Amino acid sequence: MDQDEAAYAGFSRSMLETGDYLSQDFPYSTPHRKPPLHFWISSKLFQIFGVSEWVLRLFPALCILGTALLTYHLTNVMYGSRTALYAFSILSFSLYFPLNGKIALVDSLLVFFGMLGYVSLFHWIQSNKKRFVLLFWLSVSLGLLVKGPPILIFLGGTCILLLSVNKIRSQVWKLNPFLWLPIALLPLLIWGYYSWQKDKGELIRWMLDWYIFRRATDPVFGQSGPPGTYLLLFLITLFPWTRIYLSFLYENGWKLFALLKTNGFGITKDLFPWKWKEADYIFTSKRFLLLGLVFSWIFYEGLASKLPSYPLSAYPILSILLGDQLSRKHNQIYMYRIYITVSLIMIAIISFVILPKFSDLRTDTKKVANIIQTIVPENTTLHSFGAHGIPSFAYYYHRPIQEITWEDLKNTEGYFLVSESDFQIWKGMGLGWESIGEILPVYAYDRNKKLQLRLVKK
């Protein structure tokens, strides 16, 4: 089980077992705390179907499928059924995006609500039907309860850019953000209020620091990169459709070069909102899609932190643009058959060749949890010293675990899970702690390193 996934599963199971749907307490999982909607849904599914890994992954998988279907629908409206099939296939049979349906992360819910709001926005502009306004703001509200600001960055930023198109400016303003945005924020604010009352603001203050202030200026989990990181990353994550992606970049790169050659850098004046009234842009499907990429992709190129999930909302939009790119090729059917065949071969190799080779490594924490369960009495707290960062162990162990500091260590007795290096240091200091069993190796694949742990008794 993925470490993020295990933390989310632990939060959800704890909520079900304690009845406390405000607290997010689970060993080794402090950095994984989020707004609660994903945990609430998982907890309810655990209650209905029982606690298991497939139940945990059920709703995220449905969200990824729903995102692919929304992509097909929007492409069909814009370009027709054949291009819609291409876009659906590019999104569903690429290397990275479908994996988000196999791992129960909050990003699958976020990308679904983001795409639902994006599709609703397009329909509102085209049809002027009030139900799409309600659907748009419902998507914003639920997205905020999943992960906070990212959905506002994507949908809010896209709406601001759409104001540059004179023909639809009044239609965008009719979304009534001054009325509906506070209403959309209300569920998040209510949860935040009760959470603040419960822990005196500890969780909310931590979220503001970790998810807003720190990520804007510093890399998290050691994952950083210069602007252009995602531009290059898409070469891998969109495989085997990479050639179409390169064709798209080549075509639009030359268009941008020609525009700069004709108008020079004077075109940058149109980036300023006070110049938009003078511009005479035409609203087209492609313009809508390209503007959608600005705050689903380009924005994140400027952040110091570069987690792979940040531009996830760009994948459906890119899939539509690449589907249109493919549909304009004279040999499109032949190329599509080649790409889809390579995709199926890739999926087969990953499923039946690569993943089985890592199956033992991925079950390390489960094996270690089973071993320690046979040694530590059932109602005894296991004390953990050191930043092990293995919520998957805590999930499978499913007994009390207390993370302690060096000060706590001096006055605590019982069973301890420590690193082999710490144990050897204490041994050299003459601390006569009893080692129980052999070294317990755990492969932390999120850090690509092998942890050497040991169970000791004081």
Side-chain angles (χ1 to χ4, degrees), residues 98 165 281 347 373:
V165 183
Y281 297 127
I347 292 170
Q373 280 178 341

Side-chain angles (χ1 to χ4, degrees), residues 185-396:
L185 285 167
L186 198 58
L188 182 69
L189 294 175
I190 291 173
W191 165 76
Y193 170 78
Y194 283 107
S195 176
W196 189 287
Q197 294 293 109
K198 185 173 182 62
D199 62 12
K200 296 181 173 56
E202 184 275 329
L203 177 60
I204 302 301
R205 284 194 296 266
W206 176 87
M207 284 188 174
L208 289 172
D209 174 65
W210 181 254
Y211 287 111
I212 298 179
F213 306 132
R214 188 174 302 184
R215 297 202 180 193
T217 57
D218 301 310
V220 296
F221 300 122
Q223 295 181 331
S224 62
T229 297
Y230 294 121
L231 178 74
L232 297 177
L233 185 64
F234 289 143
L235 293 171
I236 300 171
T237 57
L238 288 170
F239 182 83
W241 313 90
T242 306
R243 184 180 174 186
I244 306 174
Y245 172 63
L246 289 172
S247 175
F248 168 77
L249 292 180
Y250 178 82
E251 178 182 306
N252 288 277
W254 274 111
K255 287 181 179 179
L256 178 60
F257 176 77
L259 187 63
L260 289 172
K261 187 176 180 180
T262 303
N263 300 315
F265 287 97
I267 62 171
T268 57
K269 70 179 187 300
D270 293 334
L271 298 176
F272 301 107
W274 55 85
K275 294 288 186 177
W276 287 349
K277 285 188 177 182
E278 304 171 10
D280 190 24
Y281 297 127
I282 300 172
F283 179 74
T284 63
S285 295
K286 188 166 185 178
R287 186 179 297 276
F288 181 77
L289 295 169
L290 291 174
L291 291 178
L293 286 179
V294 174
F295 283 99
S296 62
W297 167 15
I298 307 300
F299 172 83
Y300 294 102
E301 295 282 13
L303 298 185
S305 181
K306 290 290 191 301
L307 294 178
S309 61
Y310 284 174
L312 197 62
S313 292
Y315 282 87
I317 302 173
L318 271 175
S319 297
I320 298 174
L321 290 165
L322 299 188
D324 175 55
Q325 191 79 12
L326 178 58
S327 70
R328 290 185 279 112
K329 302 291 184 182
H330 71 277
N331 57 343
Q332 55 181 278
I333 299 297
Y334 172 73
M335 292 178 63
Y336 173 73
R337 288 173 179 171
I338 291 177
Y339 288 131
I340 204 69
T341 301
V342 174
S343 296
L344 295 175
I345 293 173
M346 175 189 71
I347 292 170
I349 291 174
I350 292 174
S351 301
F352 300 110
V353 178
I354 297 177
L355 290 181
K357 291 183 179 295
F358 292 92
S359 60
D360 289 339
L361 291 176
R362 291 183 65 85
T363 57
D364 273 356
T365 52
K366 190 173 185 178
K367 293 175 182 176
V368 170
N370 291 336
I371 291 171
I372 296 179
Q373 280 178 341
T374 63
I375 299 173
V376 179
E378 185 172 352
N379 295 320
T380 301
T381 297
L382 173 66
H383 304 287
S384 177
F385 176 78
H388 303 316
I390 43 174
S392 58
F393 165 76
Y395 177 80
Y396 290 122

